[in-house]
Amino acid sequence: QVQLVESGGGLVQAGGSLRLSCAASGSIFSINAMGWYRQAPGKQRELVAAITSGGSTNYADSVKGRFTISRDNAKNTVYLQMNSLKPEDTAVYYCNADRIATILHIGYDYWGQGTQVTVSS
C-alpha cells in the first residue's frame, strides 16, 4: 500500500526557514508530479508548489523567490525549502502525488497526513 509521510513542520519566527520532506513508501515503480499544498484555518486548500518527474516546477505567486521545491526520484521524496517565512505562511502543509505506479497497481491523487507550520511575528 502506498503512503505519503511528511516531516519537518514546526514553529519558527518570521524570517526563519524550515524544510519539509515527504517520502512515498511502498513498492513504487514511478511517481508523476508531486506537490505541496497548504490550508490555513478558515481558508481553502491551495497549491504552494509542484514539480514534475522531469524537474519542471511551478509556484504560487505568494511564495515565489522564497520557497523551493525539489525531489529525489531515487528516494521517492519531495522537499520544500521555505525561507523568509511570514506569519501568513502559517498553515497545515500537505504533500500530494498525482499518479503513482507500483508493480501491481496504478493509483491517483495521493495525500499525506499534513504537517503544521506556524510562523510567529
Side-chain angles (χ1 to χ4, degrees), residues 14-116:
S17 298
L18 283 174
R19 188 190 194 212
L20 305 183
S21 300
C22 172
S25 63
S27 301
I28 294 172
F29 180 70
S30 65
I31 304 176
N32 281 19
M34 301 185 78
W36 289 95
Y37 291 72
R38 67 186 180 188
Q39 187 166 20
K43 295 188 177 182
Q44 289 189 331
R45 190 173 297 190
E46 62 174 358
L47 175 67
V48 176
I51 184 167
T52 67
S53 57
S56 297
T57 59
N58 69 285
Y59 297 90
D61 288 342
S62 59
V63 306
K64 282 181 181 176
R66 299 188 299 122
F67 291 10
T68 301
I69 190 170
S70 61
R71 65 190 284 173
D72 184 333
N73 290 332
K75 296 181 178 180
N76 295 320
T77 300
V78 64
Y79 305 96
L80 186 67
Q81 178 66 44
M82 304 185 293
N83 299 328
S84 302
L85 282 160
K86 304 175 181 180
E88 51 263 44
D89 294 318
T90 295
V92 178
Y93 284 69
Y94 297 91
C95 173
N96 173 266
D98 73 340
R99 178 184 182 275
I100 296 179
T102 70
I103 57 176
L104 296 176
H105 174 71
I106 296 175
Y108 297 86
D109 202 25
Y110 291 89
W111 291 91
Q113 80 285 359
T115 185
Q116 177 70 47

